[in-house]
Amino acid sequence: MDTVLSGIRPTGFLHLGNYFGALQNFTRMQFDNNCFFFIADYHSLTTHPHPADLHENIKNVLIDYLAAGIDPEKSTIYVQSDVPQVCELTTLLSMNVYVGELQRVASFKEKVRRQPDNVNAGLLNYPVLMAADILIHRADKVPVGKDQEQHLELTRDFAQRFNRIYETEYFKLPVAYNFGKQLVKIPGLDGSTKMSKSDNEASCIYLSDDPAVIRKKVMKAVSDSGPTEPNQPKPQAIENLFTLMQAVSAPETLAFFEEQYNKCQIRYGDMKKQLAEDIVQFTAPIYEKIKELRSNDDYIAKVARMGAEKARASADKTIKDVREIIGIKHF
Ligand code: ADP
Ligand code: TRP
């Protein structure tokens, strides 16, 4: 049985990109894998959230996870900061990680460019903490979107380095994973290639958006004027609408609009109307569940406590083994 681990930072509600990149189908994996779904609250501290918001955001992601179909009896849902062993493993791994290699990480360079006033050490160390999240449960597969591929590569480097230094095969080498084989990138409504709450809130459709909000957002999505000649390549914003449609609509619907596009007969208003309805239909069961869970604080607290216990038991075993391998012994 494989161990699967998925993590999301609590920086807001979950959107369709998170769903297709890190959640969709993975809820199915719960039946024949040992699955961990966690909320990466330490990672979210790199952007200094307001203390009053942090707990609320964690709770919202927990609710979104449950509503998306994670069964807390089958899988382990937990909050990263409930498992302090992750911090210990981060410290131990970081001794064999070079500052230069962390400075070359694409996501770090991007942050330096975007937020030059807040280049904190947590950002630099981000991939080490992430590797610790994964290695603490010795995960085999890590469902993530395309943007996380490099972090997974680094996790394998750190694991391999540990194994080499200590002449062991203790850590498995985890792979970035998507059910459909290729890692996916869901585009934004703002014409950008990635739906992302960190980049632009306006690019996102949240699982918790009500149908009226979804319709409004989709109708306002960036589009373009139609093609003037048959079979022209699509501009990015139009490509985005088609990619979203591919994710949520029936294949016949997609084929219909493809044909309309290729014949220069497409009306983007009609396409967006259809897309909005298909998204509403897709998210409706999740949205209903979210509403129900929001008024059930006791249940949410119980899920978090249960998950923390299961995650700590798994993490504790790894930390004991790692200490032993490294030569840290109790008197
Ligand atoms: P955001 O970019 O909105 O801040 P996160 O960085 O918290 O989202 O992403 C959490 C998980 O969701 C990661 O595994 C990430 O790869 C995945 N993800 C985020 N946005 C997308 C997207 N547009 N398409 C596919 N996967 C995505
Ligand atoms: N870095 C991931 C993101 O930004 C979140 C994350 C932290 C994660 N630790 C992880 C994802 C471990 C998978 C496994 O989306």
Side-chain angles (χ1 to χ4, degrees), residues 27-323:
T27 52
R28 269 202 248 152
M29 295 176 82
Q30 307 175 91
F31 300 98
D32 37 23
N33 292 279
N34 179 24
C35 286
F36 292 89
F37 294 88
F38 81 100
I39 299 168
D41 58 341
Y42 288 143
H43 280 102
S44 72
L45 297 178
T46 55
T47 50
H48 307 162
H50 196 281
D53 294 336
L54 185 64
H55 186 70
E56 206 50 31
N57 279 340
I58 292 172
K59 187 175 147 197
N60 285 329
V61 176
L62 202 57
I63 288 174
D64 288 357
Y65 262 154
L66 291 167
I70 301 172
D71 178 347
E73 301 289 336
K74 292 198 169 58
S75 300
T76 305
I77 307 185
Y78 68 98
V79 182
Q80 184 185 34
S81 59
D82 277 335
V83 183
Q85 290 88 343
V86 166
C87 294
E88 182 170 348
L89 187 58
T90 303
T91 302
L92 298 175
L93 291 174
S94 69
M95 303 306 163
N96 299 312
V97 173
Y98 302 99
V99 173
E101 69 185 330
L102 294 177
Q103 283 167 330
R104 286 192 296 275
V105 175
S107 59
F108 177 71
K109 289 201 284 195
E110 170 78 7
K111 293 282 181 203
V112 171
R113 202 174 53 77
R114 279 196 191 205
Q115 48 182 72
D117 299 334
N118 179 24
V119 184
N120 58 68
L123 277 178
L124 186 69
N125 215 35
Y126 189 108
V128 189
L129 179 57
M130 180 158 167
D133 290 327
I134 298 168
L135 298 176
I136 200 81
H137 302 300
R138 300 210 285 153
D140 300 278
K141 292 174 181 159
V142 185
V144 283
K146 183 115 187 89
D147 59 316
Q148 298 296 314
E149 215 168 14
Q150 193 185 17
H151 289 156
L152 259 296
E153 236 171 76
L154 283 164
T155 301
R156 285 192 293 277
D157 288 349
F158 302 158
Q160 216 156 14
R161 204 171 290 166
F162 179 95
N163 288 350
R164 188 169 34 76
I165 292 171
Y166 294 104
E167 296 176 354
T168 166
E169 287 177 11
Y170 185 70
F171 283 127
K172 304 184 206 174
L173 305 184
V175 293
Y177 186 77
N178 188 285
F179 216 72
K181 301 277 183 280
Q182 268 186 342
L183 299 191
V184 297
K185 187 152 90 170
I186 297 294
L189 296 176
D190 57 348
S192 65
T193 57
K194 185 182 170 229
M195 183 175 286
S196 167
K197 56 191 170 302
S198 339
D199 296 349
N200 181 11
E201 286 262 355
S203 73
C204 296
I205 292 179
Y206 296 104
L207 300 175
S208 51
D209 279 343
D210 80 34
V213 170
I214 293 177
R215 289 188 183 105
K216 211 164 133 190
K217 283 185 179 177
V218 175
M219 293 318 285
K220 279 199 341 209
V222 178
S223 56
D224 206 310
S225 52
T228 49
E229 282 171 46
N231 303 314
Q232 271 187 341
K234 302 184 183 93
Q236 187 63 52
I238 303 305
E239 184 71 47
N240 290 356
L241 295 180
F242 277 93
T243 308
L244 284 166
M245 198 165 237
Q246 192 177 19
V248 295
S249 304
E252 308 82 74
T253 309
L254 181 69
F256 171 79
F257 286 101
E258 285 280 4
E259 196 190 331
Q260 296 281 305
Y261 181 87
N262 288 329
K263 291 203 290 201
C264 301
Q265 286 170 0
I266 192 150
R267 288 165 42 171
Y268 293 126
D270 292 348
M271 184 183 182
K272 285 182 183 179
K273 235 184 233 157
Q274 179 68 47
L275 178 61
E277 288 321 306
D278 290 343
I279 293 176
V280 166
Q281 206 181 20
F282 183 84
T283 54
I286 302 178
Y287 169 68
E288 290 304 323
K289 197 88 210 285
I290 289 173
K291 281 200 295 190
E292 193 187 308
L293 287 164
R294 278 189 182 156
S295 56
N296 205 341
D297 282 357
D298 289 349
Y299 176 67
I300 302 299
K302 192 177 129 200
V303 167
R305 275 200 304 271
M306 201 165 80
E309 235 167 81
K310 285 201 272 177
R312 276 197 294 261
S314 158
D316 212 40
K317 176 163 183 340
T318 304
I319 275 297
K320 284 206 174 91
D321 292 344
V322 169
R323 280 172 158 244

